[in-house]
Amino acid sequence: MMKKLFVPALSVMTISVMACNGGSSTASKDSTTVSADTSALAAPVTDTAQNVLSDTEKSEGWKLLFNGQNLDGWHIYKGKESNSWVVDNGELHCLGSEKDKSDKRADLTSNDTYENFEFRTDWKLAPKGNSGIIYLASEDNDAAYLSGPEYQLIDDENFPEKLEEWQKTGANYAMGAPLVKAAKPIGEWNHTRIVVNNGHVEHWLNGQKTADYQIGSPEWKKAKAEGKWKDAKNYGETKKGHIDLQDHGSEVWFKNVKIKQL
C-alpha cells in the first residue's frame, strides 16, 4: 500500500541507473542551429521561490503545476511507495540518498497529461547529482523513461562516473548530445524550457537551445534503433503524456513549475 503523501511534505520519484547511466547511443539532432531565447520568461532566476503567475502569463494561458505549498496535482508514478520528496521553503525538494540510487525510488508524476505544450521550471542540483525531466510519459511501463523522452539534469563536471556527451545537462537523453553547454555551476538555479508541438521538440537551458528534434524523423528513428532504447518499443510512442520529475537518488530542487498548452 502506498505511503501517505506528506502535505506539505513527502512525495516522490523513480528512475533507474538505466535512465541516466551507462548504455550506448547514437547522437542525433534534426537541427544544429543554436539560437538565443529572447522570451520574456527567459530572465535569470533568483534564489527567491515565487511560484506565482503574472497577469501577462495568466492572459497567455500559463498554469502553475506546483503551488509552492503542497503536492496537489501530482502523484507517485504507478502508485509506488516513496517518501523522498518534501515541499520546503516554496521549493519541491527530492531528499536524495547516499546509497539508494536505483529504480527502487519513485518519480513524481503530473496528474494531467499534455500533448502540445511549453513547460518551464527553475531547478538546481546537489554536487554529483543526477535527475531529469521526462515528458510525454505513460504509466503503462515499469518506468517513465521507457516511454517519454528525457531532458537530462546532471552534474556534468563532478558526476562520479564517466559521462557520454548524450548524458549531459540539457541533452535529449540517450538520443543526442546537447547543442551547447549552458548549465550554471552546481548549487545555482537554472532555468529550463521544453517545447513540444506536433512532435517537434526543443530543449532550452538558461536562454540557450540545447536540443532540437522531431519525434519519428529518420534521424530520430536511427538514434533509437542504434542506442539505449532499441528494445524499448514504447519509447517515443506516447502522443499525450505526463510530466515526470525523476528521482535518481540525488538531491534536486524545483520551483516556478508551469505549463502552457499550445
Side-chain angles (χ1 to χ4, degrees):
M1 184 173 182
M2 173 179 162
K3 294 181 182 178
K4 178 180 178 182
L5 294 181
F6 289 69
V7 180
L10 301 174
S11 226
V12 293
M13 293 172 60
T14 196
I15 208 71
S16 79
V17 173
M18 172 184 176
C20 288
N21 296 332
S24 62
S25 175
T26 299
S28 168
K29 47 185 177 284
D30 296 335
S31 170
T32 57
T33 301
V34 179
S35 305
D37 186 355
T38 58
S39 165
L41 286 180
V45 296
T46 69
D47 288 332
T48 302
Q50 300 180 48
N51 305 306
V52 295
L53 295 177
S54 68
D55 290 339
T56 299
E57 288 175 306
K58 291 176 182 177
S59 68
E60 292 175 347
W62 286 94
K63 174 186 176 182
L64 281 178
L65 288 184
F66 170 55
N67 62 21
Q69 301 176 14
N70 54 47
L71 296 166
D72 287 357
W74 298 86
H75 65 275
I76 300 172
Y77 185 79
K78 292 181 72 73
K80 295 183 179 182
E81 294 188 17
S82 179
N83 61 356
S84 56
W85 284 80
V86 300
V87 178
D88 182 35
N89 227 6
E91 298 164 5
L92 189 56
H93 177 198
C94 182
L95 297 175
S97 169
E98 287 296 322
K99 297 180 179 179
D100 183 4
K101 301 184 183 300
S102 71
D103 60 1
K104 293 178 182 178
R105 301 176 66 90
D107 291 6
L108 189 65
T109 305
S110 67
N111 289 348
D112 293 334
T113 56
Y114 305 92
E115 183 173 7
N116 300 314
F117 59 89
E118 181 170 347
F119 171 88
R120 300 180 185 238
T121 190
D122 300 329
W123 59 271
K124 66 179 180 179
L125 278 171
K128 302 180 182 180
N130 184 1
S131 184
I133 301 167
I134 300 168
Y135 47 94
L136 299 178
S138 167
E139 291 189 281
D140 294 333
N141 303 276
D142 289 338
Y145 59 79
L146 293 174
S147 59
E150 179 183 339
Y151 183 119
Q152 173 78 314
L153 311 177
I154 201 164
D155 184 347
D156 292 338
E157 302 300 325
N158 303 296
F159 194 71
E161 300 175 23
K162 182 182 182 299
L163 296 177
E164 301 294 340
E165 289 301 308
W166 48 263
Q167 289 177 290
K168 294 187 176 179
T169 299
N172 175 22
Y173 176 74
M175 291 288 282
L179 300 176
V180 294
K181 294 182 179 180
K184 294 183 179 180
I186 287 298
E188 294 187 19
W189 288 99
N190 294 267
H191 181 67
T192 278
R193 292 176 60 210
I194 300 171
V195 183
V196 179
N197 197 0
N198 295 317
H200 181 253
V201 181
E202 296 178 2
H203 291 182
W204 294 80
L205 176 60
N206 299 322
Q208 297 189 67
K209 185 188 287 186
T210 60
D212 190 326
Y213 68 94
Q214 181 72 38
I215 296 173
S217 69
E219 294 85 357
W220 185 91
K221 289 180 178 178
K222 183 175 186 292
K224 179 181 176 181
E226 296 178 353
K228 174 172 285 189
W229 311 124
K230 62 180 181 295
D231 297 321
K233 65 178 182 179
N234 294 326
Y235 179 83
E237 295 298 319
T238 305
K239 304 304 180 185
K240 185 176 183 180
H242 300 276
I243 304 294
D244 182 271
L245 304 180
Q246 185 183 87
D247 177 358
H248 206 309
S250 301
E251 277 194 288
V252 59
W253 295 259
F254 295 93
K255 65 181 180 181
N256 299 327
V257 187
K258 60 190 72 171
I259 199 165
K260 178 175 70 172
Q261 300 201 65
L262 302 177

